[in-house]
Amino acid sequence: MHVYTDAQGKAWEVRLNVTLLRRVRDVLGLDLNALVADGLADLGKFLRDPMRVVEVLFVLCEEQAQRDGVTPEQFGTALYGDCIVDATDALLEELIDFFPNPRTRKLLRELIAKSREVRDLVTEDLSRQILALDSADVAKSLSAA
C-alpha cells in the first residue's frame, strides 16, 4: 500500500491486488498488468494522461471514497499540481510492488528512476535556455515579424 495526500489534505491509500486489477479492467477497460509490456510504451502513454490516472486511482480508492462520502467529482477536483504527481507516484509504486518477480520490480524501479532523472535534466536545460533569453532581443524579433 502507498499513500498520497490530495489538495484538500486528505490521505488516500492506494492498493493493488488481483481483485482491484480486475475491477480496473472491468470498469475502465484498462489492463494495468499489460502496461509494462512492449517496452513500457503503454505505461508512458498512461502516465502522461492525468485524467486516466485519476480514473484508475478512483477505482482503486473507491471503497475509501464511499466510506468517507467522497464523490468521483470531489476526488478528481482535489487532484492537481504536485498532488497529482504524488498520486501518480503512489500508483506507480503500487503497480511495481504488485509484480511477483523481484527482478521485474528491480528493473521497473531502475527504469522509473532513470526516466525521472531524464525529466529533471530536460527541465533544467529548458530553465537555462529560458533564463538565457534576452527580452529585448526577443521583443525585437517579434516586432520585426
Side-chain angles (χ1 to χ4, degrees), residues 9-46:
K10 178 169 181 40
W12 292 92
E13 298 174 354
V14 180
R15 288 189 170 96
L16 186 59
N17 54 47
V18 172
T19 299
L20 287 169
L21 195 72
R22 183 180 306 114
R23 179 142 172 73
V24 167
R25 186 194 63 208
D26 292 349
V27 171
L28 301 174
L30 176 65
D31 182 359
L32 290 176
N33 196 37
L35 292 178
V36 298
D38 298 330
L40 302 177
D42 289 339
L43 180 62
K45 182 178 176 184
F46 168 72

Side-chain angles (χ1 to χ4, degrees), residues 48-90:
R48 288 187 301 274
D49 185 349
M51 290 182 290
R52 194 68 163 158
V53 169
V54 171
E55 290 173 340
V56 169
L57 284 165
F58 185 77
V59 170
L60 298 180
C61 298
E62 189 169 14
E63 187 176 302
Q64 182 181 351
Q66 288 176 346
R67 185 183 67 231
D68 296 345
V70 177
T71 67
E73 292 77 20
Q74 291 168 325
F75 184 86
T77 300
L79 281 172
Y80 57 87
D82 291 343
C83 296
I84 200 160
V85 172
D86 294 343
T88 302
D89 286 347

